[in-house]
């Protein structure tokens, strides 16, 4: 689960991290009061969407010459004018995809005098099995580009979970970021605050880009992107309250209600599979035969008929879906249960597109019999290869 920048900053502030003063607003009428509550003389109007690259982003409605999604303002009038221009419009950034995201919320923030823009993040580093800091002097810009073009400018500092952030770890960060006093002296504290926030709140990513050194030499968290581990959310009702459903795909929200692992994609073949690995393999083989999957969907190991029905409804609700491939290996899951779920779902929501079903494993014969006797137009497949070829052919007509 992702949250907005202003929420992430509020949360980090609770751990003591240095963030600027700011006010989130959802209507232009609130802009003046928000700006007046800040010290000035420099203000920043920041689009709150769940995507990065806002500064360099472009508003669809405003044309190529208009300013981006993060704007400096030197007067309160300028704050108000920018708020009016930005709210309600669609911001397209490198991370939103071409459709962009509507800006329904702005963060009016105190402007900082920036001396240097750095990069600092925390993530779960699977190669070492520890939480690690990633740091670079090349902050403020596209870190993926830095990783590709100048990987030597990115350093990783894994943190031993039994020791936490040691002085030696902090010293590595200070050296990597080329910090001088007073910023160098502030780094160990900031690193510990960020690490504590990350671990206590079960984050999967905490990215500060940029972390700045201000003209006065102090550090400040200028941007903050936070993702939480969805499997740990039940432990954090306070975090769950920060969820903004308008930022999420409606199909993914529906899927989460049934505990289905679903990710919407751009293709036209809907997939219903049990097991994440098999779901990945199914997507790969669809691509191999020249088509694109419309989603990733793992119904889980012990899915009920209700769950299968819900999954089927979510897939068919996607207007891009021109064919459906059900690929089930019945281990714990029984093929007859899947077959019953598919038949029930088809009877309930109808079937406007070709459906290919491949069943294998426990109770496969009963499952196939249920499909055959249903009288519905379902194509059976013998193996994954056969299934993929059949659905791709059906979709391509
Ligand atoms: P994004 O990463 O989505 O583009 P950022 O919050 O990183 O958004 O803002 C982009 C750039 O805008 C920053 O790199 C920084 O140069 C400038 N900026 C953002 N917030 C402020 C602020 N409070 N004061 C001064 N400059 C800012
Ligand atoms: Mg940023």
């Amino acid at each position: 689960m992702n949250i907005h920048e202003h929420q992430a900053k509020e949360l980090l502030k609770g751990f003591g991290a240095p963030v600027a003063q700011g006010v989130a607003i959802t209507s232009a009428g609130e802009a003046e009061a928000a700006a007046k509550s800040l010290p000035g003389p420099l203000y920043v109007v920041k689009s709150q969407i769940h995507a990065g690259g806002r500064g360099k982003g472009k508003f669809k409605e405003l044309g190529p010459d208009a300013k981006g999604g993060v704007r400096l303002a030197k007067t309160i009038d300028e704050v108000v004018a920018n708020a009016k221009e930005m709210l309600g419009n669609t911001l397209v950034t490198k991370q939103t995809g071409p459709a962009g995201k509507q800006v329904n919320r702005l963060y009016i923030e105190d402007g900082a005098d920036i001396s240097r823009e750095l990069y600092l993040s925390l993530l779960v580093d699977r190669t070492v099995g520890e939480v690690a800091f990633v740091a670079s002097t090349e902050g403020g810009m596209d870190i993926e580009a830095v990783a590709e073009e100048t990987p030597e400018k990115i350093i990783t500092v894994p943190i031993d979970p039994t020791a936490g952030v040691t002085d030696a770890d902090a010293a590595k960060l200070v050296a990597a970021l080329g910090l001088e006093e007073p910023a160098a002296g502030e780094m160990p504290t900031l690193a510990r605050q960020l690490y504590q926030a990350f671990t206590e709140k079960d984050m999967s990513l905490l990215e500060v880009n940029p972390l700045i050194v201000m003209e006065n030499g102090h550090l400040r968290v200028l941007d903050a992107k936070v993702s939480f581990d969805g499997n740990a959310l039940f432990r954090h009702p306070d975090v769950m309250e920060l969820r903004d459903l308008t930022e999420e795909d409606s199909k993914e929200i529906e899927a989460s209600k049934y505990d289905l692992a679903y990710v919407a994609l751009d293709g036209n073949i809907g997939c219903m599979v049990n097991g994440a690995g098999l779901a990945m393999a199914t997507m790969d083989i669809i691509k191999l035969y020249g088509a694109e999957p419309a989603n990733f969907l793992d119904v889980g190991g012990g899915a009920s008929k209700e769950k299968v029905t819900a999954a089927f409804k979510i897939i068919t609700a996607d207007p891009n879906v021109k064919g459906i491939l059900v690929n089930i290996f019945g281990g714990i899951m029984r093929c007859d249960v899947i077959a019953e779920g598919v038949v029930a779902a088809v009877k309930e929501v109808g079937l406007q597109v070709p459906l290919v079903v491949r069943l294998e494993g426990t109770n496969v014969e009963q499952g196939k019999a249920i499909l055959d006797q249903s009288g519905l137009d379902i194509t059976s497949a013998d193996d994954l290869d056969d299934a993929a070829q059949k659905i791709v052919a059906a979709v391509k007509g």
Side-chain angles (χ1 to χ4, degrees):
M1 190 192 99
N2 299 323
I3 58 174
H4 289 292
E5 174 201 1
H6 76 93
Q7 296 169 321
K9 285 181 171 170
E10 189 62 35
L11 198 135
L12 294 178
K13 197 175 153 190
F15 286 87
V19 298
Q21 244 179 290
V23 182
I25 63 168
T26 53
S27 69
E30 300 164 80
E32 187 175 343
K36 278 187 175 158
S37 74
L38 301 177
L42 188 62
Y43 308 88
V44 186
V45 185
K46 309 185 77 173
S47 307
Q48 299 297 290
I49 54 171
H50 285 186
R54 297 162 302 166
K56 293 208 173 101
K58 289 285 169 202
F59 282 98
K60 251 188 185 171
E61 295 84 355
L62 302 182
D65 298 329
K67 285 193 262 171
V70 175
R71 300 179 176 187
L72 294 178
K74 293 203 177 75
T75 63
I76 291 184
D77 286 347
E78 265 183 58
V79 171
V80 174
N82 278 305
K84 280 186 184 154
E85 196 175 288
M86 294 160 79
L87 272 173
N89 282 329
T90 315
L91 186 60
V92 181
T93 81
K94 246 185 162 174
Q95 292 183 11
T96 60
K101 285 203 158 183
Q102 193 178 39
V103 176
N104 300 317
R105 213 188 277 212
L106 296 173
Y107 192 45
I108 316 295
E109 194 181 54
D110 181 36
D113 293 320
I114 303 173
S115 163
R116 298 177 63 207
E117 299 203 15
L118 311 168
Y119 178 94
L120 184 66
S121 68
L122 273 163
L123 43 74
V124 181
D125 187 340
R126 284 165 214 287
T127 56
V128 290
E130 287 175 345
V131 171
F133 279 99
V134 176
S136 175
T137 52
E138 310 303 299
M141 54 171 96
D142 191 357
I143 196 68
E144 284 80 8
V146 179
E148 198 147 299
E149 290 152 25
T150 47
E152 71 283 0
K153 290 191 172 164
I154 296 180
I155 71 123
T156 304
V157 181
I159 303 301
D160 177 347
T162 59
V165 180
T166 63
D167 290 344
D169 296 330
K172 281 185 200 160
L173 294 174
V174 168
L177 297 174
L179 298 179
E180 293 164 12
E181 293 303 334
E186 292 169 0
M187 193 64 217
T189 306
L190 176 61
R192 288 189 181 104
Q193 289 162 338
L194 297 179
Y195 183 78
Q196 192 190 357
F198 187 94
T199 48
E200 265 184 30
K201 296 293 175 186
D202 289 314
M203 295 177 184
S204 54
L205 175 73
L206 165 51
E207 186 177 61
V208 179
N209 186 22
L211 167 71
I212 58 162
V213 181
M214 293 189 287
E215 290 292 352
N216 65 13
H218 292 285
L219 290 175
R220 183 178 274 181
V221 169
L222 210 68
D223 187 11
K225 182 182 177 191
V226 170
S227 302
F228 297 93
D229 180 347
N231 291 320
L233 276 177
F234 72 97
R235 301 205 286 209
H236 305 289
D238 56 326
V239 167
M240 228 125 73
E241 271 177 29
L242 302 178
R243 191 166 173 195
D244 181 355
L245 293 176
T246 65
E247 289 285 327
E248 297 178 27
D249 184 284
S250 59
K251 297 186 293 300
E252 290 180 12
I253 295 169
E254 190 62 20
S256 70
K257 286 186 199 157
Y258 293 92
D259 206 16
L260 295 162
Y262 173 92
V263 181
L265 299 168
D266 297 330
N268 61 7
I269 297 184
C271 309
M272 179 156 85
V273 190
N274 67 325
L278 190 57
M280 301 284 277
T282 306
M283 290 158 59
D284 280 347
I285 202 158
I286 287 171
K287 280 172 159 300
L288 184 69
Y289 285 110
E292 296 286 330
N295 63 280
F296 167 93
L297 172 60
D298 170 13
V299 293
S304 62
K305 189 171 128 188
E306 287 69 33
K307 214 164 157 177
V308 172
T309 310
F312 205 82
K313 280 188 192 166
I314 290 163
I315 292 174
T316 51
D318 180 349
N320 295 328
V321 168
K322 299 289 179 263
I324 300 171
L325 174 54
V326 175
N327 182 25
I328 299 291
F329 174 74
I332 301 166
M333 170 81 87
R334 287 166 22 218
C335 292
D336 54 322
V337 172
I338 284 288
E340 277 176 9
V342 170
V343 171
V346 171
K347 285 193 173 149
E348 201 177 324
V349 300
L351 189 61
Q352 267 77 33
V353 297
L355 169 62
V356 174
V357 179
R358 181 253 179 159
L359 298 174
E360 196 55 76
T362 311
N363 292 359
V364 62
E365 294 311 325
Q366 288 99 308
K368 283 187 173 165
I370 289 166
L371 294 180
D372 287 344
Q373 287 153 21
S374 70
L376 299 169
D377 188 13
I378 299 173
T379 307
S380 243
D382 297 325
D383 55 41
L384 183 47
D385 216 48
D386 181 41
Q389 289 185 49
K390 277 179 174 156
I391 192 64
V392 172
V395 165
K396 294 204 163 158

